Amino acid sequence: MTTTLGPQEEAVLAFLRTLPNLTKSEYDNAVQLMMRTPGLEAKSDTAHALVAAAEASSPDLRAAANKAAATARAMMSRLSWAGKSDEDAAEFAARAIVVMDDGNLGQVAIHLARFRNTAVELPIRWE
């Protein structure tokens, strides 16, 4: 069986394809912006729980999320400036994109905030 990247495969591929274009300065700016998010910790906890629940509900979705996460982690690790927490962020973002749907979009989007307003293509736009 070939593991696809789930129902959001095109968005996952766009994220992965553009991740190597990320610069440290734009990433640092996005992280600073994210840190000003009211209730950041609670939103992050909720997003983690929703992603885990979605993955637990479907072996295919779990396999897709694992594949996307491993690829994102590996790509982020190739950036000379990226550390473990940056690799974790790329992994969480990839997982969030895999499980993202109309019902949970607002709640899992916090996992994408570190890549907001960067060269990385995301399936959502912030105003």
Side-chain angles (χ1 to χ4, degrees), residues 61-95:
L61 206 54
R62 183 181 317 112
N66 287 341
K67 182 177 181 179
T71 303
R73 178 175 287 282
M75 294 179 101
M76 194 71 168
S77 73
R78 290 186 191 120
L79 297 174
S80 63
W81 52 265
K84 183 181 178 334
S85 66
D86 306 319
E87 294 170 18
D88 291 345
E91 178 180 327
F92 295 145
R95 288 182 181 284

Side-chain angles (χ1 to χ4, degrees), residues 15-29:
F15 174 77
L16 295 173
R17 182 181 63 250
T18 57
L19 192 57
N21 301 329
L22 184 62
T23 66
K24 181 168 177 27
S25 63
E26 68 182 0
Y27 183 75
D28 288 346
N29 289 337

Side-chain angles (χ1 to χ4, degrees), residues 34-52:
M34 180 193 72
M35 296 306 286
R36 293 191 294 250
T37 302
L40 176 62
E41 188 172 336
K43 288 178 180 182
S44 183
D45 290 346
T46 297
H48 276 287
L50 286 170
V51 170

